[in-house]
Amino acid sequence: MSDESGSGGGDDLSSLSGFFFYVFIVHPATAWILKPGRFERKKSIMYAIGFLAMLAAVKTGMEMQAKGPNHYSLLNVTRNSSPLDIKRAYKKLSLQLHPDKNPNDPHASDKFDRVKKAYDVLIDMEYREVYNKFGQDGINSSKRFDETQFFIELGVFYVTWGIMAYVLTLGKRSSLGRQWTFTGLIVMLVLEITLMTSQGSPFPSWFMPQNTEYEAVWLLHTLFPAFMNGCRSIGSYLYVDLEAQTRQLLLALQEQNKDILLVLRDVQIGVQNVQANGGGGGGGGRLATAGVVPPVGAAARATPTGKIKELQERLQVSNSTVQQAVGQLKSEKSNSNFGFYAMILGYVAFSYIFSS
């Protein structure tokens, strides 16, 4: 990846165009995929994630290809290559690409100049450090790391994106997407500070060996609009209204309480009738004396024992509703906790990998 033809303003314009692309084109397309009833729940989520990942990969790949190879890729060396390795690589390439040896190639001179420019930057350790942190723009403007300026620029960038993310995730249905988006924004902020304030390269030698910290930050900024709109779409799809579930649970408990009170009142009346008749069979005895034979079910429920059985049946029906509502609440709570713990574990794993 190269940044020779790019500039800070160009990167900002690219991020802004990517933002509008995802908001006005990708988000409606993702909402169409996630429309309830179109696919099964799990398939909808898988299709949406696959669609977003594919678009982000294609768009980012095209932008990286447009930038062209960076200095390390041009010389076919790595971040950790010594000056001697860089000299050897340059000598080999200069012999291959010299215009005198390629008279039929109209671009031979440009290729040779790019290799020479890459060599001049990477062979100088001071220029090399600036290139790693700020790209070719840093070399052109003789930029040096200034902590105050860095944090001002950082604050402007993240406050701007934070405001846009907040506006786009207003409303109850977007609460889960807002939580994911701001979690990603915080993680990206921590990563950028770590990358830009570290002495030397914070990456292990095996991780992106020909890429710089500047390119890693560019990649984070480029992928964030896709991440934010994915959080918006999938978060709204997975949203569960906890207040509505709580109201449903309270109403179920209220109905259950009414059933209990009604049946207990019937039991109390039945017991009083039994006591008033001296244990002579209660209401069922009076019906028999009057010559009326009560139905078997009605006779069974007219007694205290029957009323207790009726109470048990009603409680079983009501408990199923209560248990369903409680299960949904627990599921939502566990999902929220899982996201929080996953963020912590991811940060610990990242710190361990890159500090070893």
Side-chain angles (χ1 to χ4, degrees):
M1 185 192 306
S2 173
D3 42 19
E4 293 184 21
S5 60
S7 64
D11 288 341
D12 293 340
L13 185 61
S14 176
S15 298
L16 191 61
S17 64
F19 168 77
F20 285 113
F21 169 74
Y22 285 109
V23 169
F24 295 109
I25 298 178
V26 177
H27 181 66
T30 309
W32 182 86
I33 295 174
L34 292 173
K35 184 178 180 180
R38 192 174 300 279
F39 304 106
E40 296 180 5
R41 184 180 177 85
K42 291 184 178 180
K43 287 184 178 180
S44 295
I45 296 174
M46 291 176 59
Y47 292 159
I49 293 176
F51 173 70
L52 290 169
M54 181 189 67
L55 275 184
V58 171
K59 186 176 183 300
T60 305
M62 291 174 63
E63 292 179 1
M64 292 175 65
Q65 187 176 9
K67 284 177 173 290
N70 66 4
H71 290 348
Y72 291 101
S73 299
L74 279 174
L75 296 179
N76 196 24
V77 294
T78 66
R79 290 188 309 269
N80 298 323
S81 295
S82 65
L84 182 59
D85 295 332
I86 294 173
K87 285 182 180 180
R88 289 173 178 171
Y90 170 69
K91 184 177 180 180
K92 180 180 178 180
L93 286 173
S94 63
L95 291 175
Q96 293 176 357
L97 300 176
H98 197 280
D100 294 341
K101 292 192 174 184
N102 300 275
N104 297 325
D105 187 355
H107 303 290
S109 180
D110 293 336
K111 293 178 182 178
F112 182 80
D113 290 341
R114 285 200 297 269
V115 170
K116 179 65 168 60
K117 190 176 182 179
Y119 170 76
D120 290 339
V121 171
L122 298 184
I123 199 64
D124 188 305
M125 298 306 294
E126 185 177 354
Y127 280 169
R128 187 172 174 179
E129 182 67 22
V130 173
Y131 179 77
N132 288 344
K133 299 295 184 184
F134 304 106
Q136 186 60 38
D137 287 335
I139 299 295
N140 297 337
S141 61
S142 300
K143 190 172 183 178
R144 298 295 183 269
F145 181 80
D146 182 84
E147 187 172 326
T148 302
Q149 183 181 1
F150 168 71
F151 281 104
I152 290 175
E153 294 175 353
L154 202 70
V156 170
F157 176 85
Y158 281 94
V159 168
T160 303
W161 274 105
I163 293 173
M164 286 194 291
Y166 179 77
V167 171
L168 289 173
T169 55
L170 287 173
K172 290 174 60 176
R173 291 196 63 83
S174 299
S175 58
L176 190 59
R178 181 166 57 250
Q179 177 185 344
W180 292 347
T181 300
F182 279 98
T183 299
L185 200 65
I186 293 172
V187 171
M188 188 169 71
L189 173 63
V190 172
L191 290 177
E192 184 167 350
I193 293 175
T194 302
L195 291 171
M196 297 301 292
T197 58
S198 60
Q199 295 295 328
S201 176
F203 297 124
S205 58
W206 52 266
F207 183 77
M208 298 170 64
Q210 292 185 326
N211 295 106
T212 64
E213 298 92 299
Y214 172 82
E215 292 168 338
V217 171
W218 174 86
L219 185 62
L220 290 174
H221 290 182
T222 303
L223 292 177
F224 180 73
F227 171 79
M228 180 182 67
N229 283 280
C231 290
R232 286 180 62 207
S233 302
I234 298 177
S236 298
Y237 181 73
L238 296 177
Y239 172 74
V240 176
D241 192 345
L242 295 180
E243 294 183 4
Q245 285 192 350
T246 303
R247 288 195 297 270
Q248 180 185 357
L249 175 60
L250 292 176
L251 289 174
L253 290 173
Q254 185 181 23
E255 293 299 323
Q256 180 177 336
N257 185 53
K258 289 181 181 179
D259 288 341
I260 292 173
L261 292 176
L262 288 174
V263 176
L264 286 178
R265 187 180 64 180
D266 290 343
V267 171
Q268 184 180 13
I269 293 174
V271 171
Q272 290 175 354
N273 289 336
V274 171
Q275 291 176 349
N277 290 289
R286 285 195 299 272
L287 290 173
T289 305
V292 179
V293 180
V296 177
R301 293 185 184 276
T303 63
T305 303
K307 288 296 180 181
I308 291 175
K309 289 182 178 180
E310 180 184 354
L311 174 61
Q312 290 176 345
E313 293 175 359
R314 290 188 180 184
L315 286 178
Q316 287 177 355
V317 175
S318 182
N319 280 338
S320 63
T321 304
V322 174
Q323 289 174 357
Q324 182 180 2
V326 171
Q328 292 177 345
L329 290 173
K330 289 182 177 179
S331 175
E332 178 64 22
K333 183 177 179 181
S334 65
N335 290 337
S336 178
N337 291 337
F338 174 77
F340 175 73
Y341 292 131
M343 181 187 71
I344 294 178
L345 290 175
Y347 179 73
V348 171
F350 177 85
S351 301
Y352 174 77
I353 291 173
F354 291 104
S355 63
S356 60

